[in-house]
Amino acid sequence: MTHRSPLRVLLYAALVAGAFVSFFPYLLVALTAFKTQAQLSSTAPWLPGWPPTTDNLADMLAGDFPRFLLNTAVMTALLTAGQLVFTTFAAYAFARLRFRGRDVLFWLFVATMMVPSAVTMIPLFLIMRELDLVNTWYGLLAPYVLGTPYGIFLMRQFFKSLPAGLEEAARIDGAGPLTILLRVMLPLCRPALGTLAIITVISSWNSFLWPLIITSGDDTKVITVAIATLKDGIGVDYHLMMAGSLIALAPMVAIFIFFQKYIVRSVVLTGLK
């Protein structure tokens, strides 16, 4: 026990240090959001401004920022719904249906995960421009609403882990592939669907590069792009940027608080350490 105690103390010290490093950027966001422009230059970044002010939050909420927040929520909801529907159908086909070239097509599709997303941005933009979808909701959603290689891979592996006897029993009762998927498989796939939903919500809410490229008007602007545009040619309004970041962060914190049990399950399911 005496030999383990110093190691345990070092372990906890390392964990506390790691937690502090991870939490510190969020602390800076919160502290800066409640500072005035004068307090930014007169107070250390890691110290709160006194007296704290809510004018930054009020200024952001009084402008067009709530509209951008709504745009982001709509985009996230549509992408999540599309991912869950189309990814599930594609993954079931790759896992359970038999057709020529199934495995080759699947692994070619999954291999696209090795391609950095930035590489495909220009080709995607050119395609959207030819289809006259630039600065539209269709152009914003189209590349990702029909599913992603990672989502299809995740759901396909989960489908393959389910006992084949369930399908055989359903087929004996006269059920077709669609009935088997909707009534037999999907009720068993709630952990995987929850994992996919959480991953999609987080990635969609934080999406920046594609919305920045494909949109230019306020009708389709999302919060990540709106926060970035607070940087003008003269300087950066850090107090407003941090206020906007704090507002954008609040829904993700709420999701974590209310769905942390499912988030932990998603981490276990995806094998992340």
Side-chain angles (χ1 to χ4, degrees):
M1 187 67 182
T2 56
H3 296 289
R4 293 181 180 179
S5 296
L7 293 177
R8 184 170 297 180
V9 171
L10 290 176
L11 175 61
Y12 279 109
L15 292 175
V16 171
F20 178 77
V21 171
S22 300
F23 177 74
F24 189 67
Y26 302 99
L27 177 62
L28 289 183
V29 169
L31 293 176
T32 308
F34 292 100
K35 290 182 180 181
T36 64
Q37 182 69 41
Q39 289 172 343
L40 284 178
S41 56
S42 61
T43 308
W46 55 86
L47 295 177
W50 191 261
T53 179
T54 58
D55 291 343
N56 300 326
L57 298 175
D59 290 343
M60 295 298 295
L61 294 176
D64 292 330
F65 201 76
R67 180 183 182 182
F68 306 145
L69 196 67
L70 178 61
N71 290 344
T72 308
V74 172
M75 179 190 72
T76 300
L78 292 176
L79 287 177
T80 302
Q83 286 266 6
L84 292 177
V85 173
F86 295 107
T87 294
T88 300
F89 279 102
Y92 181 74
F94 282 127
R96 296 299 192 180
L97 302 185
R98 297 180 180 178
F99 53 90
R100 182 173 297 179
R102 181 191 66 176
D103 293 337
V104 174
L105 181 61
F106 171 73
W107 289 113
L108 285 176
F109 189 65
V110 170
T112 60
M113 289 194 299
M114 302 297 104
V115 180
S117 59
V119 175
T120 62
M121 289 297 170
I122 294 178
L124 278 176
F125 177 81
L126 294 177
I127 293 173
M128 296 303 158
R129 188 183 65 180
E130 293 299 320
L131 297 175
D132 198 23
L133 296 180
V134 175
N135 198 33
T136 65
W137 279 99
Y138 296 106
L140 181 63
L141 300 173
Y144 306 104
V145 72
L146 298 179
T148 59
Y150 175 78
I152 292 176
F153 176 79
L154 174 67
M155 292 301 299
R156 185 246 191 188
Q157 297 306 108
F158 193 86
F159 278 129
K160 288 182 72 67
S161 68
L162 298 177
L166 296 174
E167 287 180 284
E168 297 298 332
R171 288 196 184 97
I172 293 175
D173 291 337
L178 184 60
T179 302
I180 293 174
L181 172 61
L182 297 179
R183 297 190 177 183
V184 179
M185 294 298 183
L186 282 186
L188 301 175
C189 291
R190 284 180 294 181
L193 291 173
T195 298
L196 181 60
I198 291 170
I199 293 173
T200 305
V201 166
I202 295 174
S203 62
S204 301
W205 188 269
N206 296 324
S207 179
F208 172 70
L209 187 56
W210 178 245
L212 176 66
I213 293 173
I214 198 64
T215 62
S216 58
D218 291 345
D219 292 339
T220 53
K221 183 180 291 185
V222 297
I223 51 176
T224 51
V225 178
I227 292 172
T229 56
L230 292 174
K231 180 179 179 181
D232 54 30
I234 300 176
V236 182
D237 294 326
Y238 287 110
H239 57 305
L240 293 180
M241 291 185 70
M242 294 303 102
S245 300
L246 185 62
I247 296 173
L249 183 63
M252 295 295 99
V253 174
I255 288 175
F256 176 78
I257 292 175
F258 289 105
F259 298 101
Q260 54 183 313
K261 177 175 67 174
Y262 302 98
I263 294 174
V264 171
R265 286 182 181 177
S266 71
V267 172
V268 173
L269 186 62
T270 53
L272 298 177
K273 301 296 183 182

